[in-house]
Amino acid sequence: MKRSAAWRYFDQDDESDISKVSCTICGEVLSRANNTSNLFKHLKYNHNSEYKTVDAEKKEQEKSQANKRKATPKQMTMQSALGRGTTYPISSKRWGDITESLVGMIAKDMQPLSVVENEGFIKFVKELDLRYQLPSRSTITRSLLPKKYEKLKDAVKRELTQVKHVALTTDLWTSNQTLSYLTLTCHFINHEMQLCSKVLETLYVQKDHTAPNLAEELKNIAKEWEITQKICCIITDNAANIVAAVNLLGWRHLPCFAHTLNLIVQDSLNAVTGLPRLQKKCKDIVTYFHRSTKATEKLLSMQSQANTTTKPMKLKQDVETRWNSTFYMMERLLKLREAVTTALCLSGRNDLCLTNSEFDSMQQIVSVLGGFEKATREMSSESFISVSKIIPLVHLLQGALGGSSTPVVNESQSLESKLKAELKRQLKRRFSQLESNHTLSASTILDPRFKKIAFCSADNAERTIDRISAEACNIITNDTNESGTSMSASTTTQNNTEQSAYESDLWGSFDKKVAEASTHRSSSVESTVEIRRYVQEKNIPRQEDPLAWWKKHASTYPHLTELFKKYLCIPATSVPSERAFSKAGELVSKKRSNLKPSNIHMLLFLNNNM
């Protein structure tokens, strides 16, 4: 049935061909599809009065149909139908799964616990599933968060029971609530030869930060996690109280490599005449642009005019506690030299402009410190083996600085020469006994990328190899004793069948000494052969992963593999604990300024370990 009013003026001549119609007014034959659009168009442009009539009828029909649709009950969607039912019971699996994901999201994304009370979030959740009832903030705090924390804590504890050696990093920090916290992280190589990092504790420290108090807190955390006998090393910054605390505990200690480099560079910059003044002038320029909106707009405009293909850059500010921020500040000023100078002149601040000689000095500083910046950035990674790089990197930095082994600074030298000489002096002062530190030297030898090649002294390398061989010998001896298959036992059994009781009693103590000596000699030979075969193997390329190499060769060097796990799990820096409290800075924000220390600990634990 042809319902459209347009058919009043058209006929279909051939019933078999519905694509052709003719106009009853002018006789023109038109093509049409399965609609009347072409018919209306013909009337509009050729028969206007008839078009107005049928168009009015068309609008009336559409209005009538719309009213009918409104009156007809709309079929419910599946979601609406489900929403009319009851909410999920709290005991149901569906409610439990969604709620666990919710708590995980809050921890992982550092969301405030009050997010469950936000109107927009509630509406969003209802749109996803009408039957899900959000838990209250207090329910999350008192029940759900502790439950998820305890579950993950048990999993981490089980993981730690399977490893023999762990390394720790720790640092103290202050929240915006002016409360002091101590964060402790744990690092180990698991049985699958994966480097793992876990945040164990973020502890609210109420007592004074004295060495005995800090030692007591660290001791309690280690006891709680059952790792006291597994700690092979702890890495901290150079603060006197935390170093003294570690010494009180008798744990092996390494200073944070990045923190030591920071002290070396900052002391060198302050020691070279003229550099502190230049550094302050650069800081004043950046501060001015950060405080002046108009000046910043001029700076961005100058960059856009000079280069339309590169996105305009902002200046970087110097941070007193990080030397590399000085490097980045000067590097950025050099890149934007023309734009900065022009923007300062246009802003009437010619007094802040740097001279050509000052820019030249900055270029020399950036050139000299480039290697230190790369070393700091490379050693701050948690994902890769790093402690074995300390010895080769220090030697490379010393080599890049050139000059004599005992550099002398005098006024006739150029600024670049003065800075190099001072850096080399500071490196020598802080790393003079580098190759004598067994933890560092053993980790370097056991890294198949470096071995003996990284050492400046062949004697130091050989002494380290001998000590590693002795450690491997002890492992072999302990394994033999634990397995109950020592030579003394087998010898005694054999002799008992051949000797009389009298002879056995008479020679028993002597035979035992012979057996023990034979066992020791056998273990010593085995460990020596193992370490020598390993050292004689070709070094792998520096870009390759030592973890993958040891996983492949674990059966070939079983006792050295154990020592590899012991020494190479140690991070070179305390950056992991610093990263944890950087996240804490996001967590303890204005929206979450009333978080209890226990909740801060649980949220950081979940955030880092999930």
Side-chain angles (χ1 to χ4, degrees), residues 445-451 534 538-540 546 549-550 564:
I445 289 291
L446 291 169
D447 191 323
R449 298 172 296 178
F450 305 126
K451 299 183 184 177
Y534 161 73
K538 185 174 69 173
N539 287 33
I540 65 173
W549 189 92
W550 276 105
F564 168 79

Side-chain angles (χ1 to χ4, degrees), residues 280-325:
K280 183 181 182 306
K281 194 167 182 180
C282 292
K283 289 180 70 172
D284 290 343
I285 292 173
V286 178
T287 301
Y288 170 71
F289 279 103
H290 281 183
R291 290 179 178 176
S292 173
T293 306
K294 290 184 178 179
T296 300
E297 289 175 354
K298 285 186 176 68
L299 177 62
L300 297 175
S301 176
M302 293 300 104
Q303 294 180 64
S304 298
Q305 292 176 22
N307 192 340
T308 57
T309 60
T310 305
K311 185 178 179 181
M313 296 180 289
K314 292 184 178 181
L315 297 176
K316 294 185 177 182
Q317 184 57 284
D318 186 12
V319 180
E320 189 174 346
T321 55
R322 298 203 327 266
W323 81 265
N324 50 356
S325 64

Side-chain angles (χ1 to χ4, degrees), residues 75-129:
Q75 184 177 359
M76 296 179 67
T77 63
M78 179 66 73
Q79 187 177 14
S80 299
L82 289 171
R84 294 186 66 181
T86 58
T87 57
Y88 296 120
I90 293 178
S91 58
S92 67
K93 185 178 183 300
R94 176 63 176 163
W95 189 89
D97 290 344
I98 297 176
T99 302
E100 187 170 356
S101 295
L102 169 68
V103 177
M105 180 271 292
I106 289 173
K108 198 66 182 175
D109 296 341
M110 292 293 185
Q111 294 293 330
L113 296 172
S114 60
V115 69
V116 295
E117 299 172 348
N118 292 348
E119 184 180 343
F121 184 73
I122 293 171
K123 185 177 179 181
F124 173 71
V125 171
K126 288 296 181 186
E127 190 66 29
L128 292 175
D129 194 333

Side-chain angles (χ1 to χ4, degrees), residues 22-90:
S22 60
C23 177
T24 58
I25 302 173
C26 64
E28 184 177 348
V29 178
L30 305 175
S31 298
R32 63 176 287 272
N34 292 327
N35 56 59
T36 56
S37 298
N38 218 19
L39 279 58
F40 274 99
K41 190 181 294 184
H42 176 78
L43 292 174
K44 182 177 181 179
Y45 293 110
N46 296 286
H47 314 292
N48 194 44
S49 59
E50 288 82 357
Y51 169 74
K52 289 179 180 179
T53 302
V54 297
D55 186 53
E57 291 183 23
K58 177 185 177 184
K59 290 178 179 178
E60 190 64 33
Q61 287 176 355
E62 290 175 348
K63 184 178 180 181
S64 176
Q65 290 172 359
N67 289 334
K68 287 181 180 179
R69 283 195 296 270
K70 287 181 181 180
T72 304
K74 188 176 181 181
Q75 184 177 359
M76 296 179 67
T77 63
M78 179 66 73
Q79 187 177 14
S80 299
L82 289 171
R84 294 186 66 181
T86 58
T87 57
Y88 296 120
I90 293 178

Side-chain angles (χ1 to χ4, degrees), residues 389-449:
K389 292 182 180 179
I390 292 179
I391 288 177
L393 266 178
V394 170
H395 291 330
L396 288 171
L397 288 172
Q398 291 171 330
L401 295 172
S404 62
S405 57
T406 54
V408 179
V409 180
N410 58 69
E411 293 302 321
S412 63
Q413 292 176 307
S414 66
L415 183 143
E416 183 177 4
S417 299
K418 290 179 184 178
L419 181 56
K420 283 184 175 182
E422 187 60 38
L423 285 167
K424 195 158 189 179
R425 188 178 72 82
Q426 293 286 350
L427 279 170
K428 184 178 180 181
R429 182 170 74 88
R430 294 187 181 272
F431 292 119
S432 59
Q433 302 299 318
L434 192 67
E435 292 184 2
S436 299
N437 185 309
H438 181 65
T439 301
L440 297 180
S441 57
S443 66
T444 306
I445 289 291
L446 291 169
D447 191 323
R449 298 172 296 178

